[in-house]
Amino acid sequence: VCAYAKRLEDSQGFELCMHSVESDLGSRDKSLALASLNREVERCISDTPEQYLWTYKRFRKRPSGRQKIY
């Protein structure tokens, strides 16, 4: 199951949205599973793209002596 919260207008709260995921998401083939995961994220974002906010800092902790990128 994939789930996300959609903000309602005028600060009226949130709508919880859920949908079933593709069967490939559980595949042992990493390429199939990752492609499926990307499609699921795109599906969620396409519902309300104006509310999408990317905050994941993958390289937040860098190895000692490496340049900070954020």
Side-chain angles (χ1 to χ4, degrees):
V1 174
C2 192
Y4 59 97
K6 187 186 322 184
R7 286 186 302 273
L8 301 177
E9 291 184 26
D10 301 322
S11 300
Q12 293 298 309
F14 297 88
E15 174 186 350
L16 183 58
C17 304
M18 300 168 129
H19 64 263
S20 298
V21 295
E22 299 175 5
S23 60
D24 284 345
L25 190 60
S27 174
R28 290 183 181 267
D29 181 328
K30 289 181 184 178
S31 294
L32 283 176
L34 290 173
S36 179
L37 177 61
N38 285 337
R39 284 190 298 274
E40 294 300 339
V41 171
E42 288 176 7
R43 184 175 168 189
C44 294
I45 294 168
S46 68
D47 183 35
T48 51
E50 69 280 3
Q51 293 186 13
Y52 178 66
L53 178 62
W54 183 259
T55 60
Y56 176 64
K57 293 184 179 181
R58 181 175 180 182
F59 302 106
R60 180 180 4 227
K61 293 185 177 183
R62 302 278 290 164
S64 179
R66 300 293 300 263
Q67 178 184 358
K68 292 183 179 181
I69 58 176
Y70 294 108

